[in-house]
Amino acid sequence: MMGCVFCKIVQKQIPAKIVYEDDKVLAFEDATPQAPVHILIISKEHIPTVNDINAGHKEIISSLFAAAKKIAEERNIAQKGYRLVINTNSEAGQTVFHIHMHILGGRHLAWPPG
Ligand code: 5GP
Ligand code: ZN
């Protein structure tokens, strides 16, 4: 979608530190990391929020989780622990309206989050 920063990353129009890519999803280092491991996994298709997911997106959703699991193993946080976060709309703090899963780990993560 025009003007969407994550679509531009998918199209390689702006740079990102890409750590994983397949036909459905792309994963890259968050520009403002909040933990030693902070990676974003995004759909290649422009889906604004979780509220826009439909039955046609099953493969994408499955690929998001498969990528998260693979990255957690590669970064050695799978056993220690990590958190997957999808912020949705304003009260949750979503700032980029292209669906993305945060994978956070490498330190103790407090609960509940702020
Ligand atoms: P949200 O608050 O929407 O869940 O998270 C958006 C995330 O995207 C933030 O953690 C922010 O640091 C990250 N981000 C925003 N723009 C860019 C960018 O151009 N490149 C990268 N690598 N991360 C970005
Ligand atoms: Zn987009």
Side-chain angles (χ1 to χ4, degrees):
M1 168 175 261
M2 283 267 287
C4 172
V5 65
F6 286 177
C7 282
K8 286 181 180 157
I9 289 175
V10 170
Q11 289 154 15
K12 313 278 163 71
Q13 289 172 0
I14 63 171
K17 290 182 189 162
I18 293 170
V19 302
Y20 176 79
E21 181 168 14
D22 64 26
D23 60 329
K24 300 286 180 213
V25 303
L26 181 71
F28 52 88
E29 304 278 353
D30 195 291
T32 313
Q34 303 301 316
V37 177
H38 188 177
I39 290 164
L40 300 175
I41 310 167
I42 72 172
S43 55
K44 287 194 164 175
E45 179 180 330
H46 181 86
I47 304 169
T49 80
V50 168
N51 296 337
D52 302 298
I53 291 172
N54 62 46
H57 294 134
K58 282 179 185 164
E59 273 190 66
I60 293 172
I61 302 312
S62 155
S63 297
L64 286 172
F65 280 94
K69 177 184 166 181
K70 183 177 164 59
I71 291 163
E73 285 165 356
E74 282 172 3
R75 296 299 175 104
N76 198 31
I77 56 173
Q79 300 310 317
K80 285 185 279 189
Y82 60 98
R83 186 169 294 164
L84 303 177
V85 174
I86 305 179
N87 294 321
T88 301
N89 281 338
S90 62
E91 283 201 0
Q94 185 175 5
T95 58
V96 179
F97 287 82
H98 177 133
I99 217 166
H100 53 281
M101 179 185 274
H102 298 253
I103 176 165
L104 294 149
R107 66 168 170 82
H108 180 78
L109 299 167
W111 190 264

